[in-house]
């Protein structure tokens, strides 16, 4: 195709004229081509006109045969479209059976979309619009059908044949060939179709669900990589059990396959019952993989498995709703990893990624809402905003409604929409209705781009023992026409010596400016705001070095302890850099050193959290905080970091060495 890509608008969405009730596919895998036979049971939807023509998407397909209701289609009843699709006149019939036979060439498919060959292995990637490169089909997520798939190939070269669902038949054929038949009992959109054929080895274990069903778990890889699948299997079983315990969601097929492909163009793909991974996200062993590698495998395994319900059983109505499945599933995989390891450390890692990847996207020329209004190329839509900010918007519901309220909303969401293709509005409605809340203003988080800025000012009144906190929100992206967002801010108050004066409460900032009053505050407090990073915003609040040191040493919220340390260290390092520029001695970071000593002296603290608290901000973050009116001086900044490191290492040498001795471990890793 040539020319400018057509722009797609969310406002132009309309339901399909035809639905597919059932799909029967037969794949004949050959040396240099594949023949695909498809049988589609079609029915006209209620809103469609009686003479509506059937529109099937297609791309780079060689049409060999077309039959309608068992008869060869007459030439006047169909035509190939300019985009490669198929336009069929059903002559007013409300139902029809359409059969096509096409030839495709996966060996020449360098787009790695649809069916292609990866190091001798047949593999598919159909999200977002790759299925149209396999056969003629209404390739859109709101067309959901039940699939039956037959795969035939040469046994010696492709001993393993896989597709979605349960294997219901297999056998040998003449000429050294064999076949396998799979049936998926759950309706799914075409983007979740998968096929794999190759010479693979598996790690096989059984998993018994909470209701007593036995599931065959198979993790597949190249023969040499099979020993490196054990950690992924452990992570998969943990994810399956966690989803049962936390959300009441059981796996729903008799078998679950995960395949490691070395040339897979996505990180991983959640195809129903047959996940396909880039091998780097599935393989790990203690001899060659770091702790971070193991954590990455855990997170990606969890993410793709959790899609079984948030994405597969309930999917997107259209691609504008992508954050419905991706933002929600990122939230679920983050929560899973947090509960498997240190929740505080996981939250810090997630916020660092959000700030490092999504905040710059929100501030740049390509910023967009988590549910965009338009796109030209769907493949450009898989952004940090859709995934990471989308997960933070899901977390807003949990912050406001609590974990029990969030679970009620999830239960109602699945009760209403299991087996359906739905929108972000449907998710929000389930959360609202399950909890009796008006959440209509939350739609603004789906409509507005940019990172909100909230400014906080607090004033303590000794006579009335009240603390008044005034919060003001600036429009995202400095757009004055933007309506105020509903922003839940978790807040608490500390005394100067670290005592809790007011426990965590959720302040819902819904207007441009609001005041919140804390009563019975007997002494000057230190405000601890945005605990657990309760909203994806930039918070501006003036606090002294002593107040930041108090938060770093004593805050009951682990995230804010780390955040206070980063703010204190940032202030210290930028001050040191300015001193170097001005040619004057820099001030020794005594406040930072005292706070670090307090952390190191606390033997009961989570070691992984303490480690994060003792990391200085990276220079990229420091540059982001540099005074915009001045030119960045990287040499001065590097010198300030070195000065600070030298002072901290000398002044804290005794307690640092003690911690090294405490955490030294002997024996086998």
């Amino acid at each position: 195709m040539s020319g400018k890509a057509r722009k797609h608008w969310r406002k132009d969405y309309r339901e399909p004229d035809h639905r597919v009730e059932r799909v029967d596919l037969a794949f004949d895998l050959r040396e240099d081509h594949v023949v695909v036979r498809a049988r589609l049971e079609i029915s006209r939807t209620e809103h469609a006109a009686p003479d509506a023509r059937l529109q099937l998407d297609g791309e780079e397909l060689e049409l060999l045969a077309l039959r309608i209701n068992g008869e060869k289609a007459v030439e006047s009843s169909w035509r190939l479209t300019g985009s490669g699709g198929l336009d069929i006149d059903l002559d007013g019939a409300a139902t029809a059976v359409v059969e096509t036979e096409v030839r495709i060439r996966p060996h020449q498919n360098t787009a790695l979309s649809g069916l292609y060959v990866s190091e001798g292995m047949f593999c598919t990637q159909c999200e977002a619009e790759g299925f149209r490169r396999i056969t003629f089909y209404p390739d859109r997520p709101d067309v959901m059908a039940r699939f039956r798939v037959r795969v035939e190939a040469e046994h010696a070269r492709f001993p393993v044949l896989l597709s979605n669902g349960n294997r219901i038949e297999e056998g040998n054929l003449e000429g050294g060939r064999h076949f396998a038949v799979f049936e998926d009992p759950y309706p799914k959109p075409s983007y979740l179709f998968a096929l794999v054929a190759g010479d693979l080895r598996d790690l096989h274990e059984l998993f018994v669900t909470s209701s007593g069903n036995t599931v065959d778990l198979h993790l597949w890889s190249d023969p040499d990589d099979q020993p490196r699948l054990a950690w992924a299997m452990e992570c998969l079983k943990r994810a399956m059990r966690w989803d049962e315990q936390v959300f009441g969601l059981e796996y729903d097929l008799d078998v679950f396959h995960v395949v490691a492909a070395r040339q897979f163009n996505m990180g991983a793909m959640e195809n129903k019952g047959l996940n396909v991974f880039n091998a780097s996200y599935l393989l790990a062993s203690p001899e060659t993989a770091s702790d971070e590698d193991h954590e990455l495998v855990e997170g990606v395994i969890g993410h793709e498995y959790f899609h079984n319900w948030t994405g597969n059983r309930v999917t997107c109505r259209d691609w504008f709703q992508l954050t419905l499945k991706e933002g929600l599933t990122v939230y679920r995989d983050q929560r899973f990893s947090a509960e498997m390891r240190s929740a505080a450390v996981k939250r810090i890692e997630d916020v660092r990624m959000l700030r490092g990847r999504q905040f710059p996207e929100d501030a740049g020329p390509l910023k967009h809402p988590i549910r965009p209004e338009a796109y030209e190329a769907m493949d450009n839509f898989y952004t940090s905003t859709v995934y990471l900010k989308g997960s933070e918007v899901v977390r807003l519901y949990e912050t406001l409604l609590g974990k029990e309220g969030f679970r009620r909303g999830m239960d109602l969401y699945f009760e209403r929409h299991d087996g359906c293709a739905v929108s972000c509005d449907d998710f929000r409605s389930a959360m609202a209705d399950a909890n009796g809340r008006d959440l209509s203003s939350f739609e603004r988080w789906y409509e507005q781009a940019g990172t909100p800025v909230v400014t906080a000012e607090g004033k303590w009144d000794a006579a009335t023992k009240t603390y008044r906190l005034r919060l003001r929100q600036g429009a995202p992206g400095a757009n004055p026409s933007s309506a105020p967002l509903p922003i839940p801010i978790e807040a608490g108050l500390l005394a100067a010596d670290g005592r809790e004066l007011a426990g965590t409460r959720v302040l819902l900032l819904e207007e441009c400016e609001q005041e919140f009053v804390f009563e019975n505050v007997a002494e000057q407090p230190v405000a601890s705001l945005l605990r657990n990073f309760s909203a994806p915003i930039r918070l501006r609040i003036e606090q002294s070095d002593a107040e930041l040191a108090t938060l770093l040493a004593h805050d009951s919220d682990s995230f804010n302890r780390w955040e206070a340390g980063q703010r204190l260290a940032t202030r210290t390092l930028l001050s040191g850099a300015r001193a170097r520029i001005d040619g004057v001695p820099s001030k020794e970071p005594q406040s930072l050193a005292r706070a670090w000593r307090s952390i190191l002296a606390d033997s009961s603290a989570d070691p992984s959290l303490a480690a994060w608290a003792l990391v200085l901000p990276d220079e990229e973050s420091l540059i982001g905080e540099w005074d915009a009116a001045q030119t960045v001086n990287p040499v001065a900044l590097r010198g300030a970091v070195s000065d600070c490191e030298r002072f901290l290492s000398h002044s804290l040498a005794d307690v640092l060495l003690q911690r090294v001795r405490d955490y030294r471990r002997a024996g086998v890793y």
Side-chain angles (χ1 to χ4, degrees):
M1 294 180 63
S2 61
K4 187 176 181 180
R6 182 172 71 90
K7 203 162 192 175
H8 302 267
W9 293 88
R10 186 172 72 90
K11 62 181 176 61
D12 293 336
Y13 170 81
R14 62 188 300 269
E15 295 181 16
D17 288 333
H18 296 87
R19 67 171 61 95
V20 181
E21 306 292 347
R22 180 181 172 88
V23 186
D24 287 273
L25 297 172
F27 288 82
D28 187 356
L29 308 181
R30 297 288 173 170
E31 179 69 28
D32 61 349
H33 72 276
V34 172
V35 173
V36 184
R37 298 176 180 87
R39 181 182 184 276
L40 312 182
E41 296 181 12
I42 302 291
S43 63
R44 191 174 63 224
T45 55
E46 295 78 4
H47 75 278
D51 61 348
R53 297 175 69 91
L54 175 63
Q55 305 289 332
L56 302 179
D57 296 302
E59 188 174 334
E60 298 187 9
L61 305 176
E62 180 185 351
L63 180 62
L64 303 178
L66 171 62
R67 289 177 289 277
I68 301 175
N69 296 325
E71 302 291 334
K72 180 180 178 181
V74 296
E75 290 188 9
S76 61
S77 67
W78 62 275
R79 64 182 179 86
L80 292 173
T81 67
S83 60
L86 194 57
D87 179 296
I88 301 175
D89 183 1
L90 296 179
D91 197 24
T95 63
V97 175
V98 176
E99 298 174 84
T100 59
E101 182 176 327
V102 302
R103 181 185 289 116
I104 58 177
R105 302 189 183 280
H107 304 77
Q108 300 174 12
N109 181 2
T110 57
L112 305 185
S113 173
L115 179 64
Y116 61 93
V117 176
S118 168
E119 294 189 346
M121 176 177 74
F122 281 100
C123 186
T124 56
Q125 171 56 34
C126 294
E127 186 177 355
E129 297 174 337
F131 192 73
R132 64 190 62 189
R133 299 172 66 92
I134 293 174
T135 190
F136 291 106
Y137 195 81
D139 191 13
R140 46 189 288 174
D142 56 352
V143 175
M144 301 178 71
R146 289 177 171 83
F147 279 66
R148 186 177 186 271
V149 180
R150 184 184 190 275
V151 185
E152 175 187 328
E154 180 185 346
H155 190 285
R157 293 187 59 195
F158 307 104
V160 176
L161 305 176
L162 302 172
S163 190
N164 310 85
N166 301 317
R167 187 193 304 266
I168 61 173
E169 189 181 354
E170 61 184 327
N172 294 317
L173 302 168
E174 294 181 356
R177 296 175 67 78
H178 70 138
F179 75 95
V181 180
F182 302 85
E183 188 158 36
D184 187 348
Y186 298 98
K188 66 173 178 285
S190 55
Y191 82 85
L192 290 174
F193 170 78
L195 181 153
V196 170
D199 183 9
L200 303 168
R201 299 292 183 274
D202 74 325
L203 179 63
H204 172 224
E205 293 191 19
L206 299 177
F207 179 86
V208 180
T209 69
S210 57
S211 63
N213 296 326
T214 300
V215 182
D216 277 313
L217 305 179
H218 295 267
L219 271 59
W220 300 90
S221 70
D222 288 344
D224 292 342
D225 291 331
Q226 194 263 2
R228 300 168 62 196
L229 293 170
W231 172 242
M233 179 65 80
E234 177 64 24
C235 294
L236 176 58
K237 292 187 294 184
R238 290 184 188 181
M240 296 175 76
R241 189 66 70 203
W242 182 87
D243 217 14
E244 293 178 343
Q245 295 170 345
V246 175
F247 289 106
L249 301 174
E250 286 191 19
Y251 186 66
D252 50 5
L253 293 171
D254 298 334
V255 64
F256 187 76
H257 295 285
V258 183
V259 176
R262 291 195 172 276
Q263 292 181 359
F264 188 60
N265 62 329
M266 304 282 279
M269 181 61 205
E270 72 266 19
N271 318 297
K272 180 70 178 179
L274 175 52
N275 290 182
V276 181
F277 278 56
N278 184 294
S280 62
Y281 293 106
L282 195 65
L283 306 175
S285 63
E287 293 77 18
T288 59
S290 67
D291 288 351
E292 288 183 353
D293 293 332
H294 283 84
E295 292 170 4
L296 181 63
V297 170
E298 176 188 75
V300 179
I301 280 280
H303 181 92
E304 304 308 332
Y305 174 74
F306 298 143
H307 266 312
N308 187 61
W309 282 90
T310 50
N312 297 3
R313 286 287 287 263
V314 183
T315 196
C316 301
R317 184 195 72 179
D318 55 74
W319 289 118
F320 294 100
Q321 317 297 327
L322 180 62
T323 197
L324 174 70
K325 75 180 185 79
E326 294 300 349
L328 178 55
T329 305
V330 169
Y331 159 83
R332 278 159 45 75
D333 83 54
Q334 289 177 347
R335 187 168 163 186
F336 163 66
S337 293
E339 294 182 18
M340 293 299 103
R341 298 184 272 120
S342 166
V345 169
K346 178 59 178 168
R347 190 66 183 133
I348 291 168
E349 292 172 348
D350 293 339
V351 173
R352 279 171 54 89
M353 183 179 295
L354 179 78
R355 288 172 169 170
R357 296 184 184 179
Q358 196 279 320
F359 275 22
E361 189 170 276
D362 244 355
L366 299 180
K367 70 180 179 183
H368 56 273
I370 63 171
R371 185 190 60 194
E373 294 301 316
Y375 68 84
E376 291 185 1
M378 183 56 219
D379 289 345
N380 296 332
F381 195 9
Y382 290 79
T383 64
S384 295
T385 296
V386 168
Y387 280 69
L388 302 182
K389 187 174 182 179
S391 73
E392 294 298 321
V393 171
V394 171
R395 191 180 293 269
L396 295 178
Y397 293 106
E398 185 211 291
T399 299
L400 187 64
L401 304 173
K403 280 188 166 55
E404 291 184 3
F406 186 82
R407 170 65 189 271
R408 285 193 298 271
M410 290 287 283
D411 289 346
L412 183 58
Y413 177 64
F414 294 123
E415 179 184 329
R416 286 178 172 176
H417 304 300
D418 187 13
C420 300
V422 299
S423 70
C424 297
D425 296 334
D426 294 312
F427 179 79
R428 187 177 65 255
S429 295
M431 286 290 158
D433 295 347
N435 291 279
R437 298 287 296 265
D438 179 4
L439 299 176
S440 56
S441 63
F442 271 68
E443 184 173 5
R444 297 169 194 165
W445 280 103
Y446 297 87
E447 297 174 334
Q448 297 183 18
T451 304
V453 177
V454 173
T455 302
E457 294 179 0
K459 184 176 182 180
W460 176 64
D461 189 324
T464 60
K465 297 182 179 179
T466 58
Y467 179 77
R468 296 181 179 275
L469 178 66
R470 184 164 293 277
L471 300 176
R472 293 189 302 274
Q473 62 169 298
N479 182 357
S481 64
S482 299
L485 293 162
I487 303 176
I489 295 180
E490 294 188 13
L493 301 177
L494 274 66
D497 61 4
R499 287 177 292 111
E500 194 97 354
L501 298 177
T504 301
R505 55 187 278 196
V506 178
L507 312 177
L508 182 58
L509 176 61
E510 298 181 277
E511 306 298 334
C512 292
E513 184 171 344
Q514 283 175 251
E515 185 175 84
F516 301 89
V517 179
F518 293 76
E519 298 179 341
N520 300 316
V521 182
E523 54 189 287
Q524 177 73 50
V526 178
S528 172
L529 303 183
L530 203 64
R531 285 181 162 178
N532 203 38
F533 198 73
S534 57
I537 64 172
R538 294 184 187 273
L539 178 66
R540 300 287 184 250
I541 180 173
E542 290 296 327
Q543 290 180 304
S544 67
D545 287 1
E547 289 175 316
L548 292 177
T550 295
L551 294 171
L552 174 57
H554 303 293
D555 201 331
S556 60
D557 181 73
S558 299
F559 175 82
N560 265 12
R561 290 187 70 179
W562 171 80
E563 178 80 333
Q566 294 295 290
R567 290 173 60 199
L568 181 58
T570 296
R571 182 179 298 175
T572 299
L573 295 170
L574 292 180
S575 175
R578 294 189 197 97
R580 279 180 161 264
I581 293 172
D582 295 338
V584 299
S586 60
K587 183 180 177 181
E588 292 183 340
Q590 297 287 353
S591 295
L592 187 61
R594 284 193 295 270
W596 278 31
R597 179 171 290 278
S598 177
I599 293 169
L600 287 163
D602 184 2
S603 59
S604 64
D606 177 354
S608 54
L609 178 60
W612 270 111
L614 302 177
V615 174
L616 293 173
D618 58 55
E619 290 175 34
E620 188 175 78
S621 300
L622 294 170
I623 290 172
E625 295 295 327
W626 195 275
D627 188 342
Q630 297 182 353
T631 302
V632 174
N633 187 320
V635 175
L637 194 57
R638 179 65 254 175
V641 171
S642 297
D643 290 343
C644 185
E645 290 174 338
R646 189 177 302 108
F647 178 84
L648 292 171
S649 62
H650 290 168
S651 61
L652 301 175
D654 56 333
V655 68
L656 283 168
L657 290 172
Q658 182 58 48
R659 281 290 162 263
V660 170
R661 288 190 287 268
D662 291 343
Y663 294 136
R664 182 177 289 129
R665 294 288 182 266
V668 178
Y669 171 62

